[in-house]
């Protein structure tokens, strides 16, 4: 029998957790047709001797809602063996969207996901109003990876309520519009809906993101759509860097689970620097919710962010910064130099939040002024001691001395290796947290899959290769109800990663490139050891080179 593609001589790890076995994988069209030996010939072959052949990795948490417009391959995810992504997370996105709400939707992404406004304005190809139209535009637009879609609640509220979406809860008529639109989106192949309660999620105009204003009546109506269809997943951003869920957040999870009777995945459970054991405690405190279908998403990477003060996202949960979102440089410089601003912020930083006043965790990474170059690589705490100044004053002084151009590296979470290992190997959790497409010049964790395989499997031996592959493939497929991917089995879609277990990996720090629309800066993560990726039976990447074929499609739930 002649096949379209034959992957020969590899060690097949099928995603189920079963032991690896030597076998060939035969593909016809977009499906796996056989796994075994002596499978016949093929029009194209991949030599996988000495390599692992696994299902393509499924990234459950991305924000590629806009990036596909100018980067249809969805880099850097495509470099790391990822073949499918879920977008529309955290309740923020650009669909559904009436023409009058486009600026609102874009500024939501600017404030919540730190995407440059000018990049969005010049790069988004507005070809839709409804969510089904958006899904068609993305999946039919020649993308390299499969795309799954969560309907973001902020965009849905803009669609139903207009400008009032950022001011109040929805009335019964507006709730019906939202529920009807979600039902239509689910019929067209959406994976569910997303929302947020995080204080740092600030929307257009510096107001709370519209999803945060949703009443329980709204959430009930949307959850009941999923319940009635017996299909779909809810994603909610809650918790925070402290590693705990409040009683109110736990009760909200209970409500969403009971009203939807569907999986609810919450983001993120991170390991705090000050009290790492808190993450393990939270896992146990929320086990009753896990048994109902709650799934905390976790990261296997150290959680680092680059920080520059023209876009002070990390301070979004501090009231002192509310007037400075979307402010011009003159206003920001005035505030950063103001004594009252500094004293007010200093008092706020004494309370828990995304940014801690532990200045040993903040390092100068880049400066524009050559006179400040000796500061690169040093912590703000060290510089403050040398100057005989307070840490906050030193930080803001450096920002002003460099004309707002200085960049810092801040360690947020996930530095206790022992606790991170326990959290990420716990079967109650889902590994992801890449945030691909968001915070484009601050964070780039899209290499989490190769980091897991290289750092945690090969170097630290914290889990088996078979279990790691399952964590990257079958587990996310299960949470989102995706039944035709995530495993290597005859009859399933041919999404495949081929990698070298001896070299696979990625770097701790990302590198900067200037390839966004208008030449704007972003961070990318380079992969090592990924030999080939196959998407829907077509070779996307081979030998480290991305080819011309774009076979990505619409990721649907059963």
């Amino acid at each position: 029998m002649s096949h379209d593609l034959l992957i020969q001589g590899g060690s097949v790890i099928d995603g189920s957790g079963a032991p690896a076995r030597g076998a060939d994988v035969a593909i016809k069209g977009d499906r796996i047709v056989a796994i075994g030996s002596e499978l016949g010939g093929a029009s194209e072959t991949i030599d996988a001797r000495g390599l692992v052949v696994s299902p393509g990795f499924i990234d459950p948490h991305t924000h590629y809602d806009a990036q596909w417009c100018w980067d249809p391959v969805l880099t850097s995810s495509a470099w790391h063996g990822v073949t499918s992504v879920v977008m529309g997370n955290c309740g923020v996105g650009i669909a559904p969207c009436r023409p009058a709400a486009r600026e609102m939707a874009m500024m939501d992404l600017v404030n919540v996901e730190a995407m440059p406004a000018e990049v969005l304005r010049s790069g988004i190809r507005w070809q839709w109003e409804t969510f089904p139209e958006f899904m068609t535009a993305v999946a039919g637009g020649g993308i390299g990876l499969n795309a799954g879609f969560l309907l973001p609640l902020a965009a849905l509220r803009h669609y139903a309520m207009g400008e009032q979406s950022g001011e109040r809860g929805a009335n019964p008529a507006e709730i019906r519009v939202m529920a009807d639109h979600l039902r239509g989106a689910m019929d067209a192949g959406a994976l569910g809906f997303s929302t947020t309660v995080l204080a740092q999620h600030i929307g257009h105009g510096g107001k709370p993101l519209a999803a945060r204003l949703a009443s329980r009546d709204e959430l009930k109506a949307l959850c009941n759509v999923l319940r009635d269809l017996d299909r779909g997943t809810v994603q909610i951003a809650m918790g925070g860097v402290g590693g705990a869920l409040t009683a109110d957040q736990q009760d909200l999870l209970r409500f969403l689970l009971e009203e939807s009777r569907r999986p609810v995945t919450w983001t993120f459970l991170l390991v705090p620097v000050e009290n790492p054991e808190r993450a393990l405690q939270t896992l146990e405190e929320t086990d009753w919710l896990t048994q109902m279908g709650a799934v905390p998403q976790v990261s296997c990477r150290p959680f680092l962010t680059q920080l520059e003060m023209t876009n002070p996202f990390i301070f979004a949960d501090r009231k002192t910064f509310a007037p400075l979102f979307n402010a011009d440089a003159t206003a920001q410089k005035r505030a950063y130099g103001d004594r009252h601003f500094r004293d007010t912020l200093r008092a706020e930083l004494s309370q828990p939040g995304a940014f801690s006043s532990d200045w040993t965790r903040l390092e100068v990474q880049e400066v524009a002024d050559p006179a400040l170059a000796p500061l690169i690589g040093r912590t703000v705490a060290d510089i403050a001691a040398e100057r005989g100044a307070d840490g906050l004053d030193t930080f803001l002084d450096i920002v002003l001395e460099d004309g707002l151009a200085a960049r810092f590296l801040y360690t947020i979470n996930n530095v206790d290796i022992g606790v991170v290992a326990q959290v990420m190997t716990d079967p109650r959790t889902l590994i992801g947290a890449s945030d691909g497409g968001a915070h484009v010049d601050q964070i780039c964790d899209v290499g989490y899959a190769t980091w897991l395989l290289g750092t945690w499997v090969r170097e630290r031996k914290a889990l088996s290769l078979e279990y790691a592959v399952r964590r990257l493939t079958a587990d996310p497929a299960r949470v989102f109800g995706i039944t035709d991917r995530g495993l290597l089995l005859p009859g399933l879609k041919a999404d495949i990663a081929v990698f070298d277990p001896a070299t696979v990996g990625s770097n701790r720090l990302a590198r900067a490139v200037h390839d966004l629309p208008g030449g704007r800066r972003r961070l990318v993560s380079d992969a090592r050891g990924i030999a080939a990726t196959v998407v829907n039976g077509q070779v996307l990447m081979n030998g480290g080179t991305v080819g011309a074929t774009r076979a990505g499609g619409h990721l649907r739930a059963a």
Side-chain angles (χ1 to χ4, degrees), residues 118-167:
E118 57 271 33
V119 169
L120 298 178
R121 291 189 181 113
S122 64
I124 295 177
R125 302 195 305 267
W126 293 102
Q127 302 166 340
W128 61 86
E129 287 194 21
T130 69
F131 203 71
E133 290 169 348
F134 173 70
M135 293 190 291
T136 298
V138 179
I143 56 173
L145 307 183
N146 302 305
F149 305 90
L150 294 169
L151 196 162
L153 184 51
L156 182 59
R157 297 184 93 243
H158 295 334
Y159 185 82
M161 303 170 65
E163 288 280 358
Q164 289 296 303
S165 61
E167 306 293 339

Side-chain angles (χ1 to χ4, degrees), residues 532-544:
T533 53
V534 176
V535 179
N536 292 315
Q538 301 294 312
V539 178
L540 173 68
M541 189 176 75
N542 197 357

Side-chain angles (χ1 to χ4, degrees), residues 100-433:
R102 289 174 180 172
E103 186 68 14
M104 283 196 298
M106 288 189 292
M107 293 312 295
D108 283 349
L109 287 177
V110 170
N111 289 343
V112 175
E113 303 302 343
M115 301 180 191
E118 57 271 33
V119 169
L120 298 178
R121 291 189 181 113
S122 64
I124 295 177
R125 302 195 305 267
W126 293 102
Q127 302 166 340
W128 61 86
E129 287 194 21
T130 69
F131 203 71
E133 290 169 348
F134 173 70
M135 293 190 291
T136 298
V138 179
I143 56 173
L145 307 183
N146 302 305
F149 305 90
L150 294 169
L151 196 162
L153 184 51
L156 182 59
R157 297 184 93 243
H158 295 334
Y159 185 82
M161 303 170 65
E163 288 280 358
Q164 289 296 303
S165 61
E167 306 293 339
R168 58 173 175 82
N171 61 40
E174 291 161 342
I175 292 174
R176 284 193 295 273
V177 170
M178 288 191 278
D180 288 346
H181 200 88
L182 175 60
R183 188 174 296 105
M186 295 299 297
D187 289 344
L191 295 177
F193 75 93
S194 70
T195 188
T196 180
V197 294
L198 291 180
Q200 64 262 40
H201 282 173
I202 302 297
H204 70 99
K207 298 180 290 187
L209 187 70
R212 291 171 51 195
L213 301 182
S215 67
R216 291 228 171 169
D217 286 343
E218 294 174 51
L219 296 173
K220 174 182 172 64
L222 298 177
C223 285
N224 289 172
V225 170
L226 304 190
R227 179 201 65 193
D228 294 346
L229 293 171
D230 193 25
R231 181 163 47 86
T233 301
V234 181
Q235 183 270 333
I236 181 167
M238 60 165 47
V241 293
L245 288 188
T246 66
D248 286 345
Q249 289 174 333
Q250 292 190 42
D251 185 66
L252 178 56
L253 272 180
R254 174 203 59 78
F255 177 82
L256 295 172
L257 288 160
E258 290 181 347
E259 293 297 336
S260 68
R261 301 177 194 169
R262 300 297 305 161
V264 178
T265 180
W266 59 275
T267 53
F268 299 110
L269 176 60
L270 299 172
V271 177
V273 173
E274 298 88 350
N275 181 16
E277 298 290 330
R278 178 65 236 189
L280 299 175
Q281 183 180 342
T282 298
L283 261 182
E284 299 310 317
E285 289 175 352
T286 58
D287 186 65
W288 65 284
L289 293 164
T290 302
Q291 293 180 37
M292 295 175 64
V295 183
Q297 289 190 36
V298 301
S299 175
C300 64
R301 286 181 50 83
F303 193 23
L304 313 170
T305 184
Q306 292 190 18
L307 168 64
E308 53 88 22
M309 294 299 284
T310 61
N311 188 351
F313 167 79
I314 201 165
F315 295 102
D317 58 349
R318 306 296 187 175
K319 294 180 181 178
T320 312
F321 273 87
L324 296 181
F325 275 87
N326 313 133
D328 61 25
T330 299
Q332 290 176 333
K333 289 178 181 178
R334 185 185 310 116
Y336 299 155
D338 181 73
R339 176 53 53 187
H340 177 71
F341 174 89
R342 293 186 177 197
D343 290 343
T344 303
L345 178 58
R346 186 177 289 105
E348 272 200 286
L349 290 177
S350 67
Q351 302 301 315
F355 184 89
S356 162
S357 54
D358 178 358
W359 301 102
T360 64
R361 292 159 58 185
L362 189 67
E363 175 186 315
V364 180
Q365 191 174 39
E366 297 177 21
V367 292
D369 186 346
L372 298 174
L375 302 182
I376 294 174
R378 297 178 61 189
T379 68
V380 170
D382 179 43
I383 299 167
E386 180 179 84
R387 293 185 176 188
D390 167 84
L392 177 61
D393 286 334
T394 301
F395 167 54
L396 292 176
D397 285 347
I398 295 170
V399 169
L400 292 174
E401 289 165 15
D402 205 37
L404 305 187
R407 287 183 177 272
F408 302 81
L409 184 68
Y410 180 61
T411 300
I412 302 176
N413 265 321
N414 275 28
V415 296
D416 188 301
I417 292 174
V419 175
V420 173
Q422 291 181 69
V423 168
M424 73 173 192
T425 57
D426 193 303
R428 294 172 292 185
T429 67
L430 179 65
I431 296 176

Side-chain angles (χ1 to χ4, degrees), residues 6-11 23-25 40-42 44-50 53:
L6 189 64
I7 303 174
Q8 295 178 301
S11 177
D24 300 340
V25 179
E44 185 177 4
T45 62
I46 293 176
D47 182 356
R49 287 174 295 179
V53 180

